[in-house]
Amino acid sequence: MTEAFPAVKRLVAEALGTGLLVATVVGSGIMADKLAGGNVAIALLGNTIPTGAILVVLILSLGPISGAHFNPAVSLVMGITGGLPWRDVGFYALAQIVGGCFGTLTAHGMFDLPLFQLASTVRTGPAQWFAEFVATFGLLLTILTVVRFRIDAIAYAVGLYITAAYWFTASTSFANPAVTIARALTDTFAGIAPANLILFIISQAAGAIAGLALMQWLLSGADTERHPARE
């Protein structure tokens, strides 16, 4: 379906979607931190619900235009599986990163904060890296299976997965290199120190590839004729 739209429109949709996703992550983090009165659990809950909700909205609205990846790890896997032409993978990733960074600036502007910041929140260590591997692995598992069998439910599945992963992973489930980079540009509740980016992104890429490998084996030879919801 996305091939019906010119490349420039698909790239704008990816940038816009990632930007709105990051604006939601950062903005709801700022709001939640202000209102939670120091209760980190309440602040995280206030950050989680809007993030899951906006993913559903963005996938439903922009999915028909660009596929609604909003994530370089997803675009990479779609390139490997043939769901996205290889020539577009790099452009998708660039649009997602640029859009995400503008999303951070948008959130800062809405809360009257300095637009340009660098995060100071340290998120590092083997447990955090493994959590990002698991979070991205689970995200790709969700996408690849639901697209295969229940594509009509993909928006809800992704939104619910990220909502859950905020709480069951030690890293609060970034699971997205573009979002990770954009969150390094905010010294607020959602931030991650720039020095911690590389190993988060490596862990996310490894999780995505591992998820793809397992799903290719698990789904090989599956009888999709029994699943008309895919059409």
Side-chain angles (χ1 to χ4, degrees), residues 25-195:
V25 171
V26 175
S28 65
I30 295 168
M31 179 68 80
D33 194 35
K34 285 185 174 183
L35 298 179
N39 188 320
V40 179
I42 296 298
L44 182 60
L45 183 62
N47 195 200
T48 302
I49 295 172
T51 301
I54 199 66
L55 275 168
V56 174
V57 173
L58 293 174
I59 294 170
L60 288 173
S61 59
L62 297 176
I65 300 174
S66 68
H69 299 179
F70 314 140
N71 186 334
V74 174
S75 296
L76 174 63
V77 168
M78 292 301 111
I80 293 171
T81 60
L84 180 69
W86 265 113
R87 66 179 183 275
D88 292 343
V89 172
F91 291 113
Y92 263 52
L94 180 60
Q96 292 154 1
I97 292 168
V98 171
C101 292
F102 274 100
T104 298
L105 298 180
T106 299
H108 290 167
M110 290 191 292
F111 286 91
D112 196 25
L113 297 175
L115 294 183
F116 298 99
Q117 308 176 19
L118 289 178
S120 58
T121 303
V122 175
R123 302 178 190 263
T124 190
Q128 296 269 316
W129 306 328
F130 183 55
E132 279 303 293
F133 175 92
V134 171
T136 315
F137 174 89
L139 176 62
L140 266 298
L141 180 153
T142 300
I143 291 170
L144 293 172
T145 51
V146 176
V147 164
R148 182 79 174 258
F149 299 120
R150 283 292 306 276
I151 194 168
D152 57 308
I154 188 64
Y156 309 104
V158 171
L160 288 170
Y161 174 79
I162 292 298
T163 299
Y166 254 70
W167 287 85
F168 80 75
T169 63
S171 61
T172 66
S173 184
F174 286 48
N176 184 329
V179 170
T180 304
I181 291 169
R183 288 174 65 169
L185 303 179
T186 183
D187 196 21
T188 62
F189 184 80
I192 175 174

Side-chain angles (χ1 to χ4, degrees), residues 204-229:
Q204 292 159 0
I209 297 301
L212 170 62
L214 178 60
M215 287 304 101
Q216 283 185 323
W217 172 78
L218 192 62
L219 298 175
S220 61
D223 180 8
T224 57
E225 295 299 321
R226 298 179 184 178
H227 303 278

